[in-house]
């Protein structure tokens, strides 16, 4: 498909703006050297003078920037370059089972969260959050402005967004919040606006953060709930018990069954109707009361079928042992039905002891404090009032996600200093990284609960010549001359025919390969020179090149391996959204096996607390064996600097209860403790023996050289 835009990347613009949000790829200009945190520098490229700070993240001389209309490449930019070298030496200290690699791409469209930046959440006008990289001009978010003696939260608009490359720093706060930003970024502190870095005197003199400062804001945002069956049942229980009519009545003419829910807020009504429909209960929507001068229009849903009434009754039954998901759904439902948040006072009102009891228990379970008030209202209506101010109200909204956005508004609320936002540390990551920023109408925004400044923002993408997104998954460097380079370097007198590994940095069979077709000429060159090679991939696109792989295997050793860390589909969608599903990958293993290859499976990464339990290991090893793989090699998650920060952000949003465990496991660095790795390997080996899997013997011309499973550095094949 022809590109929707093609133009040379422009050089020379400088952006003095401060920036938030990082990805993991760095580009040096001048010597045409591309560097990635998980791969060594290219060999054979003479060093040249490189500017101290690249004016653009991908301002490569002679590069062509392309975007495509294909939905699968939406938001991505491909930078086509003619590289100077393609076969790269791996440093000896890496201790990996190969010495040379070929990487036709830099950047990857797989979007795996364990090797990508987790987005910095920004507080939206509807009370929810959105990653900064997903914001678009026109989006409504919260900023702040001074009104009288107080600075208050106000709704503002995003005017622009962009990224640039700058040295990155990590700011850690007392409540565990971690912010990665450039030294030029400013945050609001108890002593005014402060840069991340600065000096007391000289050219760099400016106010900067120290550990004696405390930032201003609400504190880090809580992760939202999962849309699970238990969450939906809990929501229906809170909504129906709190505000609906449900029952059956006997009359001389027969028994009448009724369910009706009437609300002025369509968001809660539509959610309730959808949750009921997903549970098999269809309702009829109708106008309950028209709008008037004194009240909003009220719409209702209803059903009068006996089986529907019985189904709803079962859905809202109190559980004997409520799960966390049920509790979160119940709190969201009862707040939508009976909650209010007016003038900064959060209350849930009801007259039923069981509803009040379950509400108080659920709040207590998630660490909220509340007070039961008895104002002496008719029908013994009492109120549960949430304490803790705005930080706790926001935590409730983000944690439970009620449907009604008007109740979540914090417009006009004064900035409070109650959150534990003292600066604990400011440390350089030692890396230049692409960092995001936005322009807003107020000149600031709320980044992960902290007031963040953007006064140096530029107004247009045109000025910076940036397409949407500069993440590792959105800006991909394509070495369009990779095939001819491989052939030239294999023919060089100095080349001794060493084994070459592919897929060791980024996946050579990512989606972009379907467009650029760089692998066929690479494989053809390796075949023609009878040079041994291996490929590690998650991409089923490798099947396209099966005829070439079979030809190569006739003259040299060809090793094929797939990465399949787990088979749980829900977990796959959460952490590897851009990859083929585990089922499709294992189907590819079967097809390659049927073609005569003995395919190994790298069971990686195994995610602590998510895919390292016996049930997950058993299911994965069983599926690998069924697919015909000859071996399975387990590897625990490895978190390098850069990947570590973003995986941590993602984990805190999706699985906050696992954060303490990860801090314990990875407190010493990028690797899980050796004891954990040994125990994990032993459990996988036991399962492998149970399913008849054995390790491939070295020497077969179609087998991948066996990796050393206890070598932590081997994880670079994934990242």
């Amino acid at each position: 498909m022809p590109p929707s835009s093609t133009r040379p990347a422009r050089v020379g613009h400088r952006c003095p703006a401060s920036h938030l949000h990082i990805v993991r790829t760095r580009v040096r200009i001048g010597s045409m050297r591309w560097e990635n945190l998980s791969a060594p520098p290219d060999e054979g490229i003479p060093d040249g003078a490189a500017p101290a700070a690249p004016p653009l993240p991908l301002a490569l001389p002679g590069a062509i920037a392309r975007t495509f209309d294909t939905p699968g490449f939406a938001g991505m930019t491909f930078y086509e370059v003619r590289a100077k070298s393609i076969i790269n030496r791996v440093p000896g200290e890496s201790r990996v089972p190969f010495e040379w690699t070929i990487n036709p791409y830099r950047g990857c469209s797989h979007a795996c969260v364990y090797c990508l930046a987790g987005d910095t959440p920004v507080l939206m006008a509807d009370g929810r959050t959105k990653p900064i990289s997903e914001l678009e001009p026109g989006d409504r978010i919260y900023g702040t402005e001074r009104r009288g003696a107080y600075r208050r939260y106000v709704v503002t608009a995003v005017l622009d967004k962009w990224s640039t490359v700058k040295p990155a720093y990590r700011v850690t706060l007392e409540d565990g919040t971690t912010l990665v930003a450039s030294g030029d970024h400013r945050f609001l502190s108890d002593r005014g606006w402060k840069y991340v870095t600065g000096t007391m005197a000289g050219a760099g003199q400016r106010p900067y953060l120290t550990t004696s400062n405390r930032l201003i804001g609400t504190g880090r945002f809580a992760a939202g709930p999962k849309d699970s069956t238990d969450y939906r049942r809990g929501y229906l229980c809170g909504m129906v018990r709190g505000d609906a009519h449900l029952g059956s009545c006997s009359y001389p003419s027969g028994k009448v069954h009724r369910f009706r829910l009437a609300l002025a807020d369509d968001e809660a009504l539509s959610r309730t109707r959808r949750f009921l429909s997903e549970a098999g209960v269809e309702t009829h929507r109708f106008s309950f009361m028209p709008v008037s001068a004194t009240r909003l229009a009220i719409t209702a849903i209803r059903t009068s079928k006996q089986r529907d009434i019985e189904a709803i009754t079962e859905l809202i039954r109190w559980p004997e042992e409520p799960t966390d998901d049920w509790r979160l759904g119940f709190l969201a439902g009862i707040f939508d039905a009976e909650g209010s948040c007016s003038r900064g006072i959060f209350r849930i009102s009801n007259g039923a002891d069981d509803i009040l009891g379950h509400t108080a228990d659920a709040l207590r379970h998630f660490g909220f404090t509340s007070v039961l008030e008895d104002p002496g209202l008719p029908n013994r209506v009492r109120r549960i009032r949430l304490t803790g101010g705005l930080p706790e109200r926001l935590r409730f909204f983000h944690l439970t996600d009620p449907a009604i956005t008007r109740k979540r508004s914090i417009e006009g609320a004064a900035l409070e200093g109650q959150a534990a936002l003292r600066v604990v540390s400011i440390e350089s990551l030692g890396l230049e990284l692409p960092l995001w920023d936005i322009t807003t109408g107020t000149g600031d925004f709320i980044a992960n609960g902290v007031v963040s400044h953007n006064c140096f923002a530029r107004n247009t993408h045109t000025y910076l010549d940036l397409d949407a997104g500069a993440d590792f998954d959105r800006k991909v460097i394509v070495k369009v001359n990779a095939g001819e380079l491989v052939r030239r370097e294999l023919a060089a007198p100095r080349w001794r025919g060493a084994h070459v590994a592919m897929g060791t940095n980024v996946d050579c069979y990512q989606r972009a390969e379907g467009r650029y077709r760089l692998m066929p000429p690479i494989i053809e060159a390796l075949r023609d020179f009878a040079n041994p090679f291996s490929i590690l991939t998650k991409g089923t696109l490798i099947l396209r090149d099966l005829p070439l792989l079979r030809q190569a295997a006739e003259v040299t050793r060809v090793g094929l391996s797939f990465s399949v860390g787990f088979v749980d589909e829900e977990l796959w969608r959460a952490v590897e959204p851009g990859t083929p599903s585990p089922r499709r990958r294992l189907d590819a293993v079967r097809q390659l096996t049927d073609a005569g290859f003995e395919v190994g499976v790298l069971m990686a990464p195994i995610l602590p607390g998510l895919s390292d339990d016996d049930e997950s290991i058993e299911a994965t090893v069983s599926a690998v064996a069924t697919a015909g793989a000859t071996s399975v090699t387990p590897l625990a998650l490895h978190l390098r600097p850069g990947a570590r920060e973003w995986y941590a952000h993602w984990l805190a949003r999706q699985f906050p209860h696992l954060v303490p465990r990860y801090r314990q496991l990875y407190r010493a660095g990028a690797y899980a403790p050796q004891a954990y790795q040994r125990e994990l390997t032993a459990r996988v080996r036991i399962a492998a023996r149970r399913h008849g899997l054995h390790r491939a013997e070295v020497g077969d011309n179609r087998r991948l050289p066996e990796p050393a499973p206890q070598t932590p550095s081997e994880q670079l094949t994934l990242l």
Side-chain angles (χ1 to χ4, degrees), residues 269-288:
L269 193 70
S270 295
R271 180 186 286 190
T272 303
R273 192 183 190 200
R274 175 167 59 89
F275 285 179
L276 287 173
S277 178
E278 290 171 353
V281 177
E282 298 299 333
T283 57
H284 171 65
R285 184 185 181 97
F286 65 100
S287 175
F288 184 78

Side-chain angles (χ1 to χ4, degrees), residues 171 349 361 494 512 521 569 589 649 685:
V171 180
S349 304
D361 287 344
R494 63 180 179 143
E569 294 280 317
V589 170
H649 286 314
R685 284 179 173 171

Side-chain angles (χ1 to χ4, degrees), residues 510-627:
Q510 58 178 285
R511 284 176 295 161
E513 172 61 17
R515 165 65 176 80
Y516 286 100
R517 300 182 62 85
L518 301 184
M519 287 301 293
I522 292 174
I523 297 173
E524 288 170 353
L526 291 164
R527 174 202 64 191
D528 293 347
F529 284 88
N531 201 101
F533 65 92
S534 61
I535 298 173
L536 170 65
T537 185
K538 295 177 183 176
T540 55
L541 187 60
I542 191 175
L543 297 174
R544 179 200 64 189
D545 296 338
L546 183 54
L548 284 175
L549 293 170
R550 295 182 70 174
Q551 293 170 21
E554 295 298 324
V555 297
T556 189
R557 288 185 294 112
V558 176
L560 301 180
S561 186
F562 260 82
S563 175
V564 183
F566 42 81
V567 292
D568 182 272
E569 294 280 317
E570 185 176 350
L571 186 59
W572 158 67
R573 291 188 183 93
V575 301
E576 298 177 342
T579 65
S581 70
R583 176 186 55 79
R584 289 181 58 206
R585 280 180 252 170
L586 291 172
D587 286 344
V589 170
R590 168 56 66 190
Q591 294 185 56
L592 292 169
T593 299
D594 291 344
F597 288 93
E598 295 193 2
V599 184
V601 168
L602 194 64
M603 190 171 164
I606 299 177
L607 308 176
L610 297 173
S611 64
D612 63 347
D613 57 281
D614 290 339
E615 182 180 358
S616 178
I617 290 174
E618 175 68 19
T620 304
V621 173
S622 174
V624 168
T626 302

Side-chain angles (χ1 to χ4, degrees), residues 26 51-52 149 199 255 411 560 562 574 580 682:
R26 182 176 72 170
T199 61
K255 200 167 187 178
E411 176 84 15
L560 301 180
F562 260 82

Side-chain angles (χ1 to χ4, degrees), residues 1-4 6 66-71 73 514-515:
M1 182 173 291
S4 58
T6 303
R66 296 186 188 271
T67 60
F68 300 98
D69 295 328
T70 309
F73 295 143
R515 165 65 176 80

Side-chain angles (χ1 to χ4, degrees), residues 420-482:
L421 299 180
R422 182 179 61 83
V423 176
V424 174
S425 65
I426 305 146
E427 52 189 325
S428 171
L429 294 180
L431 302 165
E432 287 186 346
L433 299 169
L435 307 170
W436 283 102
D437 202 357
I438 58 177
T439 308
T440 72
T442 59
D444 63 7
F445 57 98
I446 315 303
N448 204 13
V450 175
V451 181
S452 178
H453 202 276
N454 60 251
C455 65
F456 292 109
R458 302 294 181 180
N459 283 328
T460 65
H461 289 296
T462 304
Y463 179 81
L464 292 172
D465 195 31
L466 289 172
D467 293 309
D471 282 331
F472 186 69
D473 62 328
R474 294 192 178 185
K475 290 198 172 183
V476 177
I477 299 174
V478 183
K479 300 178 184 179
V480 293
N481 59 335

